[in-house]
Amino acid sequence: MVKIAVLGYGTVGSGVVRVLNTNHDNINTRAGQQIDIKYILDLRDFEGDPVQEKIVHDYDIILKDEEIKIVVEVMGGVEPAYTYVKSALEHGKSVCTSNKELVARHGAELLELAKKKQLNFLFEASVGGGIPIIRPLNNSLTADEITDIKGILNGTTNYILSKMSREGLDFDTALKDAQDRGYAERNPEADVEGFDACRKIAILSSLAYGMQVDFEDIQTEGITKITKEDIAYAKKLDAGIKLIGSSKKVDGDIYAFVAPMLLSNSHPLMGVNDVFNAIFVKGNVLGDVMFYGQGAGSLPTASAVVSDVVDAVKHMGTNIMSIWCTEKLELADIKQSENRYFVRVKGAGKEDSVKSAFGEVTFVVLDDKKDETAFLTDSIKECDFDSKIAAVGEVINCIRADF
Ligand code: HSE
């Protein structure tokens, strides 16, 4: 029997208890041993809840109990999670976490510590909730050089954009609906400004390229400036708008960003709607693969956490190797990356100045938007785009496009 402790009895922590209760026979068979929760650390008491007898308020009880072999950290945030996780590893306990802030900031260091101690630091649930993506990158796509990762990594913003597109709503109305349904937080900044997706693409890039990608280095744009008019234009181009976390290897340089993008309706990521996530990965010999599923929520996220617990049990005493090391990966200057751009500029009849700046472009017209000129450029370097657009006029909005 393996005894584990769960740090945090919130949405994910209670999911972990439910998953272990619901599927215990199957889980124990796959782990080869019985997995038993001995402690749950939380500030609250949960009177009347069957887990009440396992609740402790003092982390030292868990740390000092040599019977505890695995600590499940599902508290979120960098502190005190970092201190707890580091000391768990130092005390000879493997760690499974869903905490993307912790993994993005300290993943390389904690992986190194786990390796030194012949333990495991596992974080399948930190990206894409219940979607298996960390283990495939670490263990399955090992024959390939990963050249491109493109994902819908945030369920809240995908719900908002899907709602805006389906019902012609503006951003504020769709955000309020997402909040009413409990998808978006009362303070939705981390989701709608792209910070959550930024941490997730930093984790995926670090795993794919084997070095530390600092999330602070990733250019990040959210969806707050996307309007229903932008979406109406996209539809005219047989396209839609998605918040994309992207990292791409071009001639040995890695470019990474989070931004809204116009995607053609034929792109596989355009079939990913509402709170679902998907991650599209390109390998140099495999070609394209896509991982799709529920990117958030108590049970899907807990399913990924428990799968890590099973892996930790199966690899007790051995470290599952990861190539993610502490050496920093210097990202290439995003201004040197090439993209197509969908642009709206103030003023009608700007076609000639657009063509003299950008050459042949695709113009798009909305019947109720006569006072502006909208167009889709060919592929162009971001720095060249910046200098050329200044000559055309005042920009209303500008969105990268992947056609
Ligand atoms: N706020 C996140 C989302 C939760 O909406 O995707 C899962 O990380």
Side-chain angles (χ1 to χ4, degrees), residues 359-374:
E360 278 310 310
V361 299
T362 307
F363 289 101
V364 207
V365 179
L366 273 192
D367 290 341
D368 56 350
K369 285 279 152 200
K370 302 279 191 219
D371 53 349
E372 60 184 64
T373 305

Side-chain angles (χ1 to χ4, degrees), residues 115-225:
K115 187 175 180 186
K116 196 172 123 203
K117 297 281 211 175
Q118 285 301 295
L119 297 165
N120 284 293
F121 175 63
L122 303 173
F123 42 91
E124 183 59 71
S126 64
V127 180
I131 305 171
I133 180 62
I134 302 295
R135 201 167 288 110
L137 277 179
N138 214 21
N139 296 339
S140 311
L141 304 179
T142 46
D144 274 70
E145 184 187 336
I146 305 296
T147 56
D148 200 351
I149 305 173
K150 201 175 270 122
I152 294 174
L153 301 171
N154 182 270
T156 304
T157 46
N158 202 40
Y159 176 83
I160 292 170
L161 290 172
S162 303
K163 186 98 183 158
M164 287 172 76
S165 173
R166 230 178 358 240
E167 297 175 27
L169 300 180
D170 60 25
F171 171 77
D172 289 332
T173 312
L175 169 62
K176 184 164 181 319
D177 180 81
Q179 286 173 320
D180 290 346
R181 287 170 189 266
Y183 298 147
E185 308 276 342
R186 287 297 119 194
N187 177 357
E189 193 187 30
D191 291 321
V192 299
E193 297 295 356
F195 305 149
D196 175 80
C198 170
R199 277 149 184 82
K200 292 169 176 169
I201 194 69
I203 295 170
L204 296 182
S205 306
S206 299
L207 273 174
Y209 308 123
M211 292 168 79
Q212 172 65 25
V213 175
D214 288 336
F215 64 83
E216 295 94 335
D217 295 346
I218 297 176
Q219 177 168 311
T220 299
E221 229 178 89
I223 62 163
T224 53
K225 293 194 191 108

Side-chain angles (χ1 to χ4, degrees), residues 249-268:
K249 196 181 242 183
V250 184
D251 299 330
D253 291 322
I254 312 281
Y255 297 91
F257 67 82
V258 172
M261 287 190 97
L262 247 78
L263 300 182
S264 153
N265 280 332
S266 61
H267 195 290

Side-chain angles (χ1 to χ4, degrees), residues 312-323:
V313 171
K314 283 162 68 179
H315 292 89
M316 205 81 82
T318 54
N319 174 256
I320 303 167
M321 194 198 144
S322 163
I323 59 164

